Amino acid sequence: MAAIEVRDARVGDAGALVALWRELTTAGLPSRLPAPPSTAAAEVAVSKHVDNPFGRLLVGELDGDIHGMAYLRKTAVSPLHDDTTVTVEYLHVSDTARRHGLGKALIAEAVAWAEHESCAHLAVVAPAIAREANRFLARLGLGQAGVLRFANTHTVRRRLAAEHAPNLLALLSSRRSAFARRAQLSGTVGGSVGGTVGGAVVSSPAEPESAGK
């Protein structure tokens, strides 16, 4: 039997991860994922996950070679609940390494981490038209909860403009101006989270506890 190991990614795995990302974006399915990064850029990105308490980047090895990856994020299950969930994203196993149990091993690590972090829920993101992947996840008890759609902000803004919605576009413009003023105000008070301007207390919202994204 093939030897399987699942572990946290290291900076030296960047080249293998880029190759897996390339497979993920050219697997024959319609994809809007970003193009593969350079190995140098991936090294910087991987290093940010090493000590991140809210996210883990996993690699799956088969006989000592990296053939799988998954990104785990720990977040609130919803904005109205205290419960947390572990979400598995960018789950991918190379075609040459499938049907050896590597995908199950990656999911098993996600379950183990969720239990360790007292997360009662597990979510896995998969392309809606990826039949084999969705059948695999369904066999593990994961049902469909929604469809994730992805686009860059320029595309969405252009489509909104094409819909001739002046009120909505004005709202977008005003929100962008508000964000710019908030950033300028933060710089005025020395880049700190809070300060005073003209005797009034000014604060900017705390940076979200992101999982490396």
Side-chain angles (χ1 to χ4, degrees):
M1 294 182 61
I4 292 176
E5 181 185 359
V6 174
R7 59 174 175 79
D8 290 279
R10 299 187 287 259
V11 173
D13 301 325
L17 287 165
V18 170
L20 287 171
W21 189 269
R22 186 171 290 108
E23 292 178 6
L24 189 62
T25 56
T26 58
L29 298 173
S31 175
R32 291 178 179 268
L33 295 177
S38 66
T39 299
E43 288 176 349
V44 174
V46 171
S47 68
K48 296 178 182 179
H49 298 291
V50 174
D51 297 317
N52 184 358
F54 301 102
R56 295 176 62 192
L57 179 59
L58 303 179
V59 295
E61 292 185 349
L62 193 65
D63 290 332
D65 295 322
I66 295 176
H67 286 284
M69 64 177 287
Y71 177 51
L72 314 183
R73 290 194 302 125
K74 185 177 69 171
T75 60
V77 70
S78 89
L80 302 179
H81 294 80
D82 288 333
D83 297 345
T84 54
T85 180
V86 166
T87 301
V88 183
E89 303 176 26
Y90 310 113
L91 175 66
H92 178 66
V93 175
S94 296
D95 288 339
T96 56
R98 290 182 180 175
R99 305 192 185 282
H100 290 284
L102 194 53
K104 288 182 179 178
L106 287 164
I107 295 294
E109 180 65 21
V111 170
W113 191 51
E115 292 176 338
H116 180 269
E117 297 295 317
S118 299
C119 297
H121 307 279
L122 183 75
V124 182
V125 178
I129 61 174
R131 291 185 178 181
E132 185 176 350
N134 281 287
R135 282 197 296 264
F136 163 70
L137 295 171
R139 288 197 300 270
L140 298 179
L142 290 149
Q144 182 171 323
V147 176
L148 176 68
R149 294 182 177 272
F150 182 90
N152 63 53
T153 53
H154 175 72
T155 296
V156 179
R157 176 176 283 277
R158 188 176 69 247
R159 295 294 179 87
L160 287 170
E163 293 292 332
H164 303 292
N167 292 338
L168 180 57
L169 295 179
L171 174 62
L172 288 171
S173 179
S174 67
R175 293 306 298 154
R176 188 164 57 180
S177 298
F179 294 145
R181 287 195 300 271
R182 181 179 297 172
Q184 184 178 16
L185 187 59
S186 296
T188 302
V189 296
S192 62
V193 173
T196 60
V197 176
V201 177
V202 178
S203 63
S204 59
E207 186 174 340
E209 294 177 339
S210 127
K213 280 195 141 187

